[in-house]
Amino acid sequence: MKILAIETSAKSVSAAVVEGGVPLASAYQNMGLTHSRTLMPLVDGMLSAAGLRVRDMDLLAAANGPGSFTGLRIGVSALKGLAWALEKPCCGVSTLAAMARNLAHMEGLIICAMDARRSQVYNALFRSEGGALHRLTEDRALPIKELEGELWPHGREVLLLGDGAALCHQAFSMWGARLAPEGVRYQRASSVALLGEQAAKEGKTVPAGELAPVYLRLPQAERELKKRQAEQANC
């Protein structure tokens, strides 16, 4: 089974093709350009260089959240368009679970954290044992201080991943939480593809029309609108 995956949940953008657990091709860019400009040329260039076409794929997968509201919308919309046109099955993969997949070969408590602003992080906990990942929490948004209270008893067993890892490491450094090396700290599409392959084996694929982003929080514009409405109601 060939799987095309894309990752647009944060500043970087990446694409990959995996077959039978083996990466066949990948492309990555972290230049700060908008994903609407970079994603499809990145995918087209990668497939062309590998002698592959989207129609050769058996499954299309995307990191569907949590993450940047704009980035997720672009990635999910692009994947839906490809899947719809070619009548391919697709699946959404947790950004945090895919990130944890980067460290499945290590033993320890893995915390994947993305900067959610306002001293909060999108996060999830996983335990890696014998090359297998075990999810310990759902994806969630928590204040960094609350997350610290949950993790500090584990000390140096804690491995920090994601663009919120440095924020957490700064807060947790007194008790020895470890920061993963930059080469494996961030999102990448190859891990999305590998989890997409697992989802396919478990029968968890969906038609294009059912794929949707998972935000965990309302976008800022909606939060501000609800706040204004509440203030007006209390006047």
Side-chain angles (χ1 to χ4, degrees):
M1 171 179 281
K2 287 187 177 69
I3 301 166
L4 169 65
I6 59 176
E7 221 298 344
T8 59
S9 65
K11 180 182 176 182
S12 64
V13 58
S14 60
V17 175
V18 165
E19 183 176 24
V22 178
L24 301 181
S26 64
Y28 178 92
Q29 190 173 110
N30 189 24
M31 300 296 292
L33 301 174
T34 60
H35 296 340
S36 58
R37 288 180 55 191
T38 58
L39 176 59
M40 293 315 297
L42 192 80
V43 172
D44 290 342
M46 177 194 69
L47 293 175
S48 178
L52 296 169
R53 300 173 299 173
V54 178
R55 68 177 67 255
D56 298 327
M57 302 299 122
D58 300 296
L59 175 69
L60 307 184
N64 68 335
S68 157
F69 296 109
T70 301
L72 292 175
R73 282 196 297 268
I74 291 171
V76 169
S77 296
L79 194 86
K80 289 178 70 166
L82 292 173
W84 211 314
L86 296 171
E87 299 183 339
K88 299 286 185 180
C90 55
C91 71
V93 170
S94 161
T95 308
L96 300 170
M99 201 184 303
R101 183 65 179 72
N102 296 353
L103 290 186
H105 62 288
M106 298 185 68
E107 301 284 320
L109 186 66
I110 297 172
I111 173 68
C112 300
M114 300 179 69
D115 187 1
R117 312 301 179 192
R118 300 184 179 185
S119 298
Q120 289 191 337
V121 285
Y122 300 125
N123 69 93
L125 267 60
F126 301 83
R127 181 166 292 281
S128 180
E129 294 178 318
L133 281 174
H134 305 280
R135 181 185 275 275
L136 303 180
T137 70
E138 295 300 312
D139 294 352
R140 57 202 181 161
L142 289 178
I144 293 175
K145 293 297 292 184
E146 183 176 337
L147 183 61
E148 181 185 18
E150 183 176 339
L151 293 176
W152 75 263
H154 300 281
R156 287 191 55 78
E157 184 186 12
V158 175
L159 290 164
L160 297 165
L161 292 175
D163 63 17
L167 291 173
C168 292
H169 187 253
Q170 184 177 5
F172 304 168
S173 59
M174 292 295 291
W175 47 268
R178 292 173 293 159
L179 191 61
E182 289 209 28
V184 293
R185 191 185 306 168
Y186 304 109
Q187 301 91 317
R188 56 189 187 194
S190 56
S191 292
V192 175
L194 291 170
L195 290 188
E197 187 173 50
Q198 180 179 327
K201 291 177 181 177
E202 297 171 356
K204 296 180 179 178
T205 63
V206 297
E210 295 182 18
L211 186 65
V214 177
Y215 295 128
L216 293 187
R217 292 193 320 197
L218 291 173
Q220 183 176 352
E222 292 187 38
R223 295 199 304 270
E224 291 177 353
L225 175 60
K226 286 182 176 293
K227 181 180 178 181
R228 289 197 299 271
Q229 290 173 337
E231 290 172 348
Q232 292 171 358
N234 292 328
C235 289

